[in-house]
Structures are given as C-alpha cells and as structure tokens.
C-alpha cells in the first residue's frame, strides 16, 4: 500500500478525520499510481504515526481521504543514528542520504570541511538542502519509514 507523509500531527488528524493532500503527492496519486475513489493509502503524521485512509475525492489539484484506523506500527530504529558527511563532489551526498534513509538514519549533517572541493554559497546551499530533503522524503516513503529523516543546514567543524 502506498504511503504519503502529511503536514498534520496525530491529534490534528483525530480532530478532523478528513485529510487533504496537495502538492507533488497529488500528481503521484492521480497520474503515476492512477488511484480512484475507494482506494486505500497510508498517511504518516509529522510525529511518526501512521493511519490507513480511504480516498474520498480525487482531482488534479487536491486529494481528499478519510482516516479509517491507526495501524500502531513503529518501523523506526530504537536508537537515533546521525550521519555527518563532508561535501563530496557530484551527486554522492544524494546517494548517501537515500541509502542512509533506507537503512534507518534519523538525521544527516552535511559538513563543509577545510579540504572539501565543493564550496556552496547561501543560495546554492538552500536549493541543495531542499533537494536533499525531497530525496530523504521519497526514500522514507519507499522504505516504509514512519518519519522523514531531517537534513540539517550545512555545518563546519567550528
């Protein structure tokens, strides 16, 4: 069953059992998976809980679904693993984030080291971080995680 991360907490989901999904996930549900009303998905809350939901209405802009039940399954590691990595050349950090997420990492800390070949200014760093966060989200959905790992801002040893 497909899973999607939504911007609500468990308490907010219980108060309003009708959930609206917008953004890139709508494109995935409508065009890629070709889901219709009555199909079921898993919605994961911001605080790590997952619920089985049934699609109520499907359009190109928004998907509405109704929460059926909480699954009460925790797929996260019992300890929190942080991965700190220097900035490698090319798309190697994307690969590290993808595979680390699939293996259960809690957060990623990109490091600007003294001997790092890659030098990012603030504008490029912001775009890269957005891309890394998207990669972590997609890898978390694919590997049935309850939480999306955090990708922190670029740090230095200082």
């Amino acid at each position: 069953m497909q899973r999607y991360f939504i911007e609500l907490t468990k308490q907010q989901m219980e108060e309003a059992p009708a959930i609206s999904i917008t953004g890139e996930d709508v494109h995935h549900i409508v065009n890629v998976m070709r889901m219709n009303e009555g199909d079921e998905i898993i919605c994961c809350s911001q605080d790590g809980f997952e619920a089985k939901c049934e699609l109520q209405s499907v359009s190109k802009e928004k998907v509405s679904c109704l929460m059926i039940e909480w699954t009460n399954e925790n797929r996260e590691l019992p300890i929190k693993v942080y991965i700190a990595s220097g900035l490698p050349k090319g798309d190697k950090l994307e690969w590290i984030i993808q595979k680390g997420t699939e293996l259960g990492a809690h957060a990623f800390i990109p490091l600007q080291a003294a001997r790092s070949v890659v030098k990012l200014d603030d504008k490029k760093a912001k775009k890269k971080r957005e891309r890394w966060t998207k990669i972590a989200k997609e890898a978390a959905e694919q590997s049935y995680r309850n939480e999306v790992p955090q990708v922190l801002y670029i740090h230095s040893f200082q």
Side-chain angles (χ1 to χ4, degrees):
M1 197 174 316
Q2 284 298 122
R3 64 195 305 107
Y4 298 96
F5 291 96
I6 56 173
E7 301 294 323
L8 300 172
T9 62
K10 182 179 180 181
Q11 182 179 359
Q12 291 171 331
M13 287 173 70
E14 287 174 344
E15 290 172 359
I19 300 166
S20 294
I21 300 173
T22 57
E24 294 177 2
D25 289 336
V26 172
H27 169 76
H28 190 263
I29 291 169
V30 174
N31 298 326
V32 177
M33 298 305 296
R34 297 182 184 183
M35 292 185 175
N36 297 312
E37 288 116 12
D39 290 343
E40 292 182 351
I41 61 172
I42 298 284
C43 290
C44 296
S45 66
Q46 279 184 330
D47 45 1
F49 296 96
E50 62 181 45
K52 186 186 285 189
C53 299
E54 182 180 332
L55 299 183
Q56 297 295 308
S57 66
V58 178
S59 70
K60 296 275 185 196
E61 296 84 32
K62 184 174 96 170
V63 173
S64 297
C65 54
L66 185 66
M67 188 179 75
I68 299 171
E69 66 178 343
W70 293 103
T71 60
N72 295 326
E73 290 188 39
N74 186 7
R75 294 179 167 87
E76 297 299 315
L77 293 176
I79 58 171
K80 295 187 179 192
V81 177
Y82 290 78
I83 296 178
S85 173
L87 294 176
K89 290 193 276 184
D91 61 349
K92 291 181 183 93
L93 189 58
E94 295 174 4
W95 187 82
I96 292 169
I97 291 171
Q98 179 187 18
K99 298 305 173 192
T101 299
E102 292 171 2
L103 291 171
H106 178 71
F108 296 93
I109 307 168
L111 294 173
Q112 181 72 54
R115 296 189 183 258
S116 291
V117 176
V118 176
K119 306 287 187 210
L120 299 175
D121 59 359
D122 290 338
K123 185 178 178 183
K124 283 185 180 179
K126 182 181 177 192
K127 285 191 154 215
K128 285 280 193 182
R129 184 171 178 263
E130 288 172 1
R131 174 150 172 76
W132 296 334
T133 303
K134 181 180 176 186
I135 289 169
K137 177 184 177 277
E138 290 171 354
E141 287 174 351
Q142 182 178 351
S143 58
Y144 284 84
R145 298 270 309 264
N146 286 28
E147 297 176 1
V148 177
Q150 197 176 13
V151 179
L152 302 175
Y153 291 100
I154 297 174
H155 286 70
S156 66
F157 279 103
Q158 285 78 22

